[in-house]
Amino acid sequence: MSELLFGTAGTPHSAESPSSVDGIKHVAELGLGCMELEFVRQAKMSEATAHLVAETAASTGIKLSAHAPYYINLNAREPDKVQASQYRLLQTARIASWCGATSVVFHTAFYLGDPPENVYSTVKKYLGEVLDQLQEENIRVWIRPEVMGKHTEFGTIEEIIKLSTELKGVAPCIDFAHWHARTGQYNSYQEFTSILQQIEDQLGRAALDDMHIHFSGIRYGLKGEIKHLDLEESDLHYTEFLKALRDYEVKGLVICESPNLEDDALLLQSTYQKLQKAD
Ligand SMILES: [Zn+2]
C-alpha cells in the first residue's frame, strides 16, 4: 500500500441503498478510500454480483476488505461446529477474492474456559487447514484474525501477532478500540506506538506498510467491550492514535466501526490529513 486509507465497515448510512455496489460508489463520493464488505451474518454473494462489486471498486479506486460471519469458533467442542466455522471463513475468502478484496477479517474463537495456550494450538491447527485449502484453490487474500474486546474471546495482541508470525498468509487485524476496552489501557500516544513498535519488531516493516485496522468509539466494563460508540461519545484519544499512525508512517486500511460509520470515518480522515499538514 502506498498510503493510509479510511473507510467504513459496510455500506455508509447515507448511501442510496444498502447494497455493496451503492456503498462503494458512496464511499467514493464522500472522498473516503476503502470499505469493508460485511458478511457478518452469512457469507453469501453470487459470483455475478461479486464481479460487479469488483468492477465498481476498480472504477472508483476504492480498496476493499471483507469481514467473515460472527458465527465462527475454531475452539468449538463439536467437530461439526469447527467444520462449519472453517467453511464460513473459506467461503468469505472465496467471495472476497471474486470482489477483489485483499483481506478477510474474522473473529477466531472463544476460550470456553480452556487455557489460552491450548486454545492457541487448536486455533493454529484449524486455521492452518483453511490456509492449505485456500492455497489449493489459489486464493490469495490475507487472512486476518482480529484483536478482540472481551476477555472470553481469543485474540490478544500477542496471540494475533504470534499467529501472524507462525502461519503463512496470516496478518493481524488490529482493533485498537477492542484492545483499549479489553485492557482499560492503550489510550495514549505512547501506548499506541508501543503496539506499532511490537508489530514492526515481530513482523517487520512490511506489516506496517500493509496494516488492517479497526477503530471506533467504545463502551467497556470489567469484562471488556460492551458496545461500539461514536467517537465523540467515547473516551478514545483518536488524535493521539492518528499521530501514532502518522509518525510510524503506517499504510493500509483504517475501517471505522462507529455506529455513525461515515461520520467518524470522515472525522478520522480529516484529522489525519490536518496532522500530516502540521508535519
Ligand atoms: Zn470484527
Side-chain angles (χ1 to χ4, degrees), residues 85-264:
S85 296
Q86 289 176 310
Y87 175 78
R88 290 182 183 117
L89 181 54
L90 267 173
Q91 195 56 16
T92 309
R94 290 176 183 128
I95 296 170
S97 80
W98 296 336
C99 290
T102 45
S103 291
V104 172
V105 174
F106 77 112
H107 302 179
T108 317
F110 290 89
Y111 296 113
L112 304 177
D114 296 344
E117 56 274 22
N118 295 9
V119 181
Y120 181 87
S121 310
T122 305
V123 162
K124 188 179 166 189
K125 174 175 172 237
Y126 292 130
L127 183 53
E129 292 174 4
V130 172
L131 296 166
D132 289 345
Q133 181 62 29
L134 288 174
Q135 205 170 19
E136 206 157 290
E137 296 180 28
N138 203 21
I139 293 171
R140 292 158 194 265
V141 292
W142 284 109
I143 298 296
R144 296 187 184 259
E146 181 174 335
V147 169
M148 298 306 295
K150 293 185 188 128
H151 296 173
T152 50
E153 293 168 315
F154 178 90
T156 63
I157 296 261
E158 288 74 17
E159 285 164 342
I160 299 306
I161 291 180
K162 191 160 181 236
L163 278 178
S164 307
T165 62
E166 293 185 348
L167 291 172
K168 200 166 164 265
V170 171
C173 168
I174 306 289
D175 190 317
F176 284 89
H178 280 169
W179 193 237
H180 169 50
R182 187 166 181 143
T183 59
Q185 303 171 42
Y186 292 91
N187 195 19
S188 66
Y189 176 82
Q190 261 180 349
E191 289 166 307
F192 293 132
T193 55
S194 75
I195 295 172
L196 299 174
Q197 188 61 50
Q198 200 180 343
I199 291 169
E200 183 166 9
D201 290 346
Q202 294 185 52
L203 296 172
R205 177 65 223 182
L208 292 185
D209 285 335
D210 189 7
M211 282 277 278
H212 195 81
I213 294 169
H214 281 178
F215 201 75
S216 69
I218 199 152
R219 175 174 298 149
Y220 54 97
L222 291 174
K223 293 174 182 169
E225 173 188 8
I226 295 173
K227 64 182 260 201
H228 288 192
L229 297 175
D230 295 339
L231 283 171
E232 298 294 4
E233 290 171 12
S234 79
D235 68 355
L236 263 169
H237 297 145
Y238 65 87
T239 305
E240 296 200 26
F241 159 70
L242 294 167
K243 272 187 195 157
L245 298 184
R246 177 196 65 180
D247 292 349
Y248 271 72
E249 294 176 27
V250 169
K251 299 175 184 79
L253 310 187
V254 178
I255 298 294
C256 175
E257 294 189 317
S258 295
N260 71 17
L261 290 179
E262 62 265 43
D263 293 350
D264 276 356

